[in-house]
Amino acid sequence: MAAATANIIRPKPSPLSYSFKSSVPSSKSVLPFSKIPRKLTPSRSLTVSSSLSQSNSASSSVTPTTSSSHDFVSRYAPDEPRKGADILVEALERQGVKVVFAYPGGASMEIHQALTRSKVIRNVLPRHEQGGIFAAEGYARSSGLPGVCIATSGPGATNLVSGLADAMLDSIPVVAITGQVPRRMIGTDAFQETPIVEVSRSITKHNYLVLDVDDIPRIVSEAFFLATSGRQGPVLIDIPKDIQQQLAVPKWNQPLRLPGYMSRLPKDPSEAHLELIVRLISESKKPVLYVGGGCLNSSEELKRFAELTGIPVASTLMGLGSFPNSDPLSLQMLGMHGTVYANYAVDKSDLLLAFGVRFDDRVTGKLEAFASRAKIVHIDIDSAEIGKNKQPHVSICSDVKLALKGINRIMENKGAKLKLNYSAWREELNEQKVKYPLNYKTFEEAIPPQYAIQLLDELTDGNAIISTGVGQHQMWAAQFYKYKKPRQWLTSGGLGAMGFGLPAAIGAAVANPGAVVVDIDGDGSFMMNVQELATISVEKLPIKILLLNNQHLGMVVQWEDRFYKANRAHTYLGNPSSESEIFPNMLKFAEACGIPAARVTKKEYLRAAIQKMLETPGPYLLDVIVPHQEHVLPMIPSGGAFKDVITEGDGRTKY
């Protein structure tokens, strides 16, 4: 029987996707965590299928490099038969998995029984499968290790869909395992049967339907290799229940069958290309760095590059932390809600160094006007992203880390000969920083949400791991918390999935014991996965929840204010019959799960309240009541250009 289904979709080709481009390149050095944040593209899915041609030739097989099981001590004798579920669990152990986020059901019971026999793997039990996959993402985003989640068939599997799409868009290494009905029942509309391989085909880097118990070791090795190599992403493994129950003697260290995928690994960047980039830098007067999630694993090289050149650095939402916000060269975030000075720098630049980015619409706005004066250098690990939205003048398909190392080496060798001096350019940008700082207004005793985040930054010394939901609070957390290092900032970027913050904080707390983990959430997002308070409580995870509660879907309200004459269309989340009271009472949710909680409504009490939250052992919820009239500023309207930037106003003004 076939061991795996090929991951094939046939979308219309993008006009900017060329046939000679690789859609699923992988890091040359096969570093397990070579890259984060990027976007699903049709051509990317098209080529994954070719990576699974079942060639028997030695040249097309690749010895596994993602796990070293030679020193692994199994609890079974080498020739002892064991269930497929036990083979699966041992395969996870051999990949170094220590934690899974798994919710049981009829088709996955065998896996859970096998997990109870493992002395290595801890299961953190979520209260919803979506909570489980978001927690696996939080684990992966904060640690760089692949996150693992497990769900049953049918509704359990479909509850993973938002998380798979989120991991795909943000390039997060996740391995999702689902139970499936027995093989003989597949296609019969059996109880709790959904074709999750078909459902997830375009939102996973690859997926498998296991049809032979002997393939489990190889498939697990391939799944982890695919998830963590090249442009990272989610991989799904669907395992029928009868395969889980079947007895077999596993064959470990089987070669990977990924000839197509392996053949498209990007090569080391050529010296000539790197020299050309250095020459462009030396010729420019107003260069700017535009860095994204692809730089999270290249933070040291990026800092060295900025030190050598003195070029200002603007970050995407996903790239926050790759370059310290406190550095004088930092322009903070660019894009729709980026700083005026970051967007000014890109608009006026004559050289845009785009490293590990995908020219997303929330960054570029009107494409024709974005960096219209600049030559563009684009370095990315995924060739499908190069030229997809914005045509570069020079491009390199490579791991950004390798490219930066090469550029830094060339510049160090040239030394003073380069004569780089951008002091006038930096002074021009410093004037913009003074003229258009990030700011906000205070109205009497009301708590500005931006002030709450500033206080949190101050009281944690900028060292907390921050997760968020999606909306206004997410943007304020991006603007007003000063991130110092990579993997401090966990947010749903490409998909914008509400409900992400709380379970992501669970994954981060499990991966980083001893770290301060704060979920900055909005009341709308928080309610979407509020059940995960139970997991936080029983697992005794010291997660702090800073809930910015404005009783509305704040970002939608902002757009209503700006573009729909403030007509409220189902964006009020409170109780319409009693608008003067806070509804629902978030403190009761915390109380029901045995979590300490408090509410603060006045600015003068906020500092003490946040201090108490941070000092209280274990989890804590602080319900911060903020006005719904606040707007996230600056704002470049969707499809707009830098000239359209909005810097003033809120919901108290009519437009």
Side-chain angles (χ1 to χ4, degrees), residues 187-390:
T188 67
D189 295 333
F191 177 66
Q192 289 194 332
E193 181 195 358
T194 52
I196 194 60
V197 163
E198 305 304 322
V199 169
S200 67
R201 195 178 294 286
S202 61
I203 53 170
T204 51
K205 189 173 177 181
H206 189 65
N207 55 32
Y208 294 90
L209 173 61
V210 181
L211 295 176
D212 188 332
V213 68
D214 292 332
D215 288 332
I216 291 175
R218 175 184 58 80
I219 285 174
V220 171
S221 287
E222 287 183 4
F224 277 82
F225 181 76
L226 288 167
T228 59
S229 61
R231 177 172 170 176
Q232 300 177 335
V235 177
L236 181 133
I237 305 174
D238 196 30
I239 310 182
K241 189 167 183 178
D242 60 324
I243 295 285
Q244 299 171 35
Q245 295 170 326
Q246 187 175 341
L247 293 175
V249 176
K251 296 176 183 176
W252 304 110
N253 299 318
Q254 297 178 38
L256 305 185
R257 295 182 185 174
L258 300 171
Y261 182 80
M262 299 299 292
S263 70
R264 281 181 283 272
L265 298 175
K267 307 294 185 274
D268 287 341
S270 75
E271 199 75 6
H273 273 120
L274 299 181
E275 290 275 7
L276 176 57
I277 292 171
V278 171
R279 181 167 65 79
L280 288 174
I281 292 170
S282 67
E283 292 172 353
S284 68
K285 304 296 182 190
K286 296 183 175 184
V288 66
L289 274 158
Y290 156 36
V291 302
C295 291
L296 288 174
N297 291 311
S298 321
S299 180
E300 293 306 314
E301 291 80 7
L302 177 62
K303 285 188 281 189
R304 179 59 179 155
F305 177 83
E307 178 187 335
L308 287 167
T309 61
I311 297 175
V313 183
S315 172
T316 68
L317 181 73
M318 296 306 305
L320 288 173
S322 58
F323 190 78
N325 272 8
S326 58
D327 192 288
L329 289 174
S330 173
L331 301 172
Q332 296 182 250
M333 187 172 71
L334 82 163
M336 177 179 281
H337 293 296
T339 62
V340 170
Y341 39 90
N343 289 319
Y344 174 94
V346 172
D347 188 62
K348 303 298 183 187
S349 67
D350 62 3
L351 178 65
L352 183 69
L353 300 169
F355 294 171
V357 296
R358 59 185 178 90
F359 291 88
D360 173 68
D361 62 287
R362 289 295 169 108
V363 166
T364 65
K366 186 178 181 181
L367 270 169
E368 299 78 22
F370 182 76
S372 58
R373 301 169 175 84
K375 291 180 179 176
I376 296 174
V377 173
H378 192 184
I379 302 177
D380 198 272
I381 204 164
D382 186 352
S383 65
E385 293 298 344
I386 296 173
K388 189 185 77 177
N389 292 330
K390 192 82 174 174

Side-chain angles (χ1 to χ4, degrees), residues 95-134:
Q95 291 295 329
V97 174
K98 298 291 189 293
V99 179
V100 297
F101 302 89
Y103 197 89
S108 64
M109 285 177 63
E110 289 286 352
I111 299 172
H112 282 263
Q113 290 295 312
L115 283 170
T116 66
R117 294 188 280 273
S118 173
K119 306 299 182 188
V120 176
I121 298 177
R122 166 192 178 190
N123 181 33
V124 176
L125 178 67
R127 269 31 181 199
H128 189 289
E129 291 91 354
Q130 186 184 95
I133 191 165
F134 283 162

Side-chain angles (χ1 to χ4, degrees), residues 456 544-546 609-616 620 622:
L456 180 69
K544 314 302 181 185
I545 303 157
L546 186 70
I610 294 178
Q611 191 70 58
K612 183 179 179 183
M613 174 186 77
L614 294 171
E615 291 174 353
T616 301
Y620 193 98
L622 182 60

Side-chain angles (χ1 to χ4, degrees), residues 523 527 549-552 571-586:
D523 47 315
M527 286 287 291
N549 187 348
N550 65 6
Q551 297 282 280
H552 289 74
T571 47
Y572 176 60
L573 299 179
N575 182 356
S577 63
S578 183
E579 292 189 15
S580 61
E581 67 178 70
I582 303 300
F583 178 87
N585 186 345
M586 302 296 184

